[in-house]
């Protein structure tokens, strides 16, 4: 009984401390995402980055973090897969209207073959 | 009855250690509070170090901490590539572009100007510690007002410089210093750069995609800039490092 009370007290103590907002709580799976971006930049092999992006999309569906689809679009654009690239840039635009101006500019560039 | 009293006392203790007089986000970032910007373009960093690849690689560390904070950030690899298609590859040149023009082209309300002050990859020869020091300045596109300008620094002998005040900070510190055990791995210095950026990101207000966005402005900022770690030894060590 005494132990239980003690445990309860400890739990409340922790609760008293832990109501800080945690900046990582909006999206899941972002840990290590930057590292994969870096590895892609170094090795130019997108396999692991794409895997990471798929995990992030799965874990957060339907609230995918900003820039994730645009990053996919960039990967496909770099591999000259224009159709796929445009598809993902459009997806980014649809989820985040604030990206519209730039996404349209990028899509236009791809269509012009730059 | 006594047990209840003890519990109550402990509960109070649990609450009272966490709130020294931290300023609210509103009072510490009046311009950001007024303008409520949420869409970031992060420029390629100016490189003040002698590490030639710092700009290219540090770029990859810049976006995620702000995405995690609730902001919309255009992917840096995409924006960097865009500048290249416009024949702009020199960060110095890019930093000089009129901010209104940038706002027009990228459709953002904020431009982030990063500067790399320290980026060591060759600690074996130069010094016994590796480190990264990145400065970030957020500027409002419409008014040209600086929303915040902060510097984040991490080095492998970080433990010796910590001034953590709370349990949470201590826990973060411990987690960070543990990763230094494997510092000579290829991405060791990248992790330091990433932590430096994260250190900046945690001091600033949340972005609109964070669920506490509205009430945050009146909340105390536990990581308010003047309370955060300073690095008195860093300048000194930098000056040893610069002339190679």
């Amino acid at each position: 009984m005494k132990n239980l009370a003690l445990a309860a007290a400890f739990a409340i103590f922790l609760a008293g401390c832990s109501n800080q907002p945690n900046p990582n709580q909006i999206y899941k799976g972002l840990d290590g995402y930057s590292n994969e971006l870096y590895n892609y930049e170094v090795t130019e092999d997108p396999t692991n980055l794409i895997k990471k992006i798929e995990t992030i999309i799965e874990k957060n569906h339907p609230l995918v973090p900003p820039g994730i689809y645009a990053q996919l679009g960039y990967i496909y654009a770099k591999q000259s897969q224009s159709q796929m690239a445009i598809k993902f840039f459009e997806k980014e635009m649809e989820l985040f209207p604030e990206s519209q101006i730039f996404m349209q500019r990028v899509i236009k560039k791809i269509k012009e073959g730059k | 009855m006594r047990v209840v009293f003890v519990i109550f006392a402990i509960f109070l203790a649990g609450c009272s250690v966490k709130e020294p007089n931290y300023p609210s986000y509103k009072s510490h970032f009046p311009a950001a509070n007024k303008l409520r910007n949420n869409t970031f373009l992060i420029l390629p960093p100016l490189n003040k170090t002698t590490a030639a690849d710092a700009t290219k690689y540090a770029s990859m560390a810049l976006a995620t901490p702000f995405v995690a904070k609730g902001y919309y950030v255009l992917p840096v690899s995409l924006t960097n590539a865009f500048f290249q298609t416009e024949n702009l590859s020199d960060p110095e040149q890019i930093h000089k572009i009129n901010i209104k023009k940038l706002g027009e082209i990228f459709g953002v309300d904020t431009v982030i100007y990063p500067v790399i002050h320290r980026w060591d990859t060759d600690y074996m020869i130069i010094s016994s510690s590796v480190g990264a020091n990145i400065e970030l300045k957020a500027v409002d596109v419409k008014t040209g007002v600086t929303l915040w300008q902060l510097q984040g620094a991490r080095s492998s002998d970080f433990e010796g410089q910590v001034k953590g005040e709370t349990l949470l900070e201590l826990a973060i510190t411990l987690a960070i210093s543990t990763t230094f055990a494997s510092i000579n791995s290829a991405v060791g210095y990248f992790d330091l750069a990433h932590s430096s950026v994260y250190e900046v990101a945690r001091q600033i207000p949340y972005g609109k995609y964070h669920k506490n966005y509205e009430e945050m402005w009146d909340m105390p900022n536990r990581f308010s800039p003047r309370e955060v770690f300073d690095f008195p030894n860093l300048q000194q060590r930098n000056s040893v490092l610069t002339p190679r």
Side-chain angles (χ1 to χ4, degrees):
Chain A
M1 186 58 209
K2 218 174 179 181
N3 282 347
L4 196 76
L6 216 69
F10 189 62
I12 293 170
F13 175 73
L14 284 182
C17 292
S18 66
N19 57 356
Q20 313 293 343
N22 171 3
N24 290 320
Q25 72 196 165
I26 339 175
Y27 306 112
K28 298 180 191 97
L30 278 184
D31 291 344
Y33 177 57
S34 294
N35 285 70
E36 293 304 343
L37 290 174
Y38 170 81
N39 289 336
Y40 175 49
E41 200 68 20
V42 176
T43 63
E44 299 198 357
D45 172 8
T47 321
N48 289 336
L49 178 56
I50 290 175
K51 248 185 240 162
K52 182 74 192 170
I53 289 175
E54 280 168 355
T55 317
I56 293 172
I57 291 173
E58 244 168 63
K59 281 189 174 170
N60 292 284
H61 187 82
L63 294 169
V64 174
I68 294 292
Y69 282 115
Q71 181 65 38
L72 263 186
Y74 169 73
I75 295 168
Y76 285 110
K78 235 186 148 188
Q79 295 176 333
S80 306
Q81 299 189 44
S82 306
Q83 289 310 313
M84 286 287 269
I86 290 171
K87 199 184 101 186
F88 285 118
F89 288 133
E90 280 170 348
K91 186 96 184 157
E92 177 82 16
M93 201 154 70
E94 192 185 303
L95 285 176
F96 299 100
E98 60 264 56
S99 71
Q100 194 176 352
I101 292 173
F102 185 55
M103 290 303 128
Q104 276 173 347
R105 216 174 271 278
V106 170
I107 291 169
K108 195 171 157 233
K109 249 187 207 266
I110 291 173
K111 285 182 174 162
E112 286 168 355
K114 288 182 187 171
Chain B
M1 190 56 212
R2 224 172 62 194
V3 173
V4 172
F5 179 72
V6 167
I7 290 174
F8 188 63
I10 294 173
F11 178 71
L12 281 184
C15 293
S16 61
V17 284
K18 78 172 202 279
E19 299 293 353
N21 284 326
Y22 293 116
S24 68
Y25 284 91
K26 209 186 227 169
S27 63
H28 225 109
F29 297 94
N33 176 44
K34 196 175 152 213
L35 295 160
R36 300 284 176 109
N37 288 2
N38 277 296
T39 313
F40 287 6
L41 163 69
I42 304 180
L43 297 183
L46 277 188
N47 184 7
K48 301 276 186 192
T49 76
T50 51
D53 54 1
T55 288
K56 187 180 169 197
Y57 295 144
S59 281
M60 299 301 116
L62 297 176
T64 315
F66 296 104
V67 169
K69 191 90 188 185
Y71 289 96
Y72 184 86
V73 186
L74 289 170
V76 175
S77 13
L78 182 62
T79 51
N80 282 1
F82 185 88
F83 281 120
Q84 266 164 21
T85 65
E86 299 286 322
N87 293 322
L88 288 161
S89 53
D90 178 15
E92 212 148 319
Q93 204 182 346
I94 294 171
H95 280 231
K96 281 182 191 146
I97 300 172
N98 182 295
I99 192 166
K100 287 209 169 89
K101 184 88 189 153
L102 289 174
E104 236 170 71
I105 292 170
F106 291 90
V108 295
D109 55 28
T110 311
V111 177
I112 308 283
Y113 295 85
V115 182
I116 308 167
H117 291 289
R118 187 180 181 201
W119 180 271
D120 312 332
T121 59
D122 46 3
Y123 79 112
M124 294 293 278
I125 313 153
I126 306 295
S127 140
S128 59
S129 80
V130 285
N133 181 330
I134 297 177
E135 180 189 339
L136 298 157
K137 182 167 82 167
V139 181
D140 176 54
V141 163
K142 281 204 188 95
T143 61
V145 163
T146 299
L147 302 173
W148 41 262
Q149 181 168 11
L150 296 162
Q151 212 159 325
R154 287 284 186 269
S155 68
S156 57
D157 52 359
F158 181 63
E159 301 122 281
Q161 305 169 0
V162 170
K163 294 203 307 192
E165 286 175 10
T166 65
L167 279 173
L168 184 67
E169 275 173 15
L170 196 65
I172 291 168
T173 306
L174 287 174
I176 290 165
S177 45
T178 330
T179 62
F180 293 149
S182 55
I183 201 65
N184 52 356
S185 69
V187 292
Y189 59 89
F190 180 77
D191 287 338
L192 290 175
H194 197 256
S195 305
S196 307
V197 178
Y198 181 76
E199 187 187 321
V200 170
R202 69 174 182 169
Q203 298 174 51
I204 64 162
Y206 293 99
K208 69 171 174 186
Y209 292 114
H210 196 278
K211 62 183 165 93
N212 296 331
Y213 179 62
E214 285 303 331
E215 51 279 31
M216 168 266 305
W217 295 100
D218 291 312
M219 281 158 59
N221 181 3
R222 295 182 56 255
F223 297 111
S224 52
R226 74 183 160 81
E227 300 289 341
V228 182
F229 323 103
D230 58 26
F231 294 81
N233 301 325
L234 197 70
Q235 279 324 103
Q236 246 177 330
R237 245 183 290 120
N238 261 349
S239 64
V240 176
L241 286 170
T242 13
R244 304 240 159 136

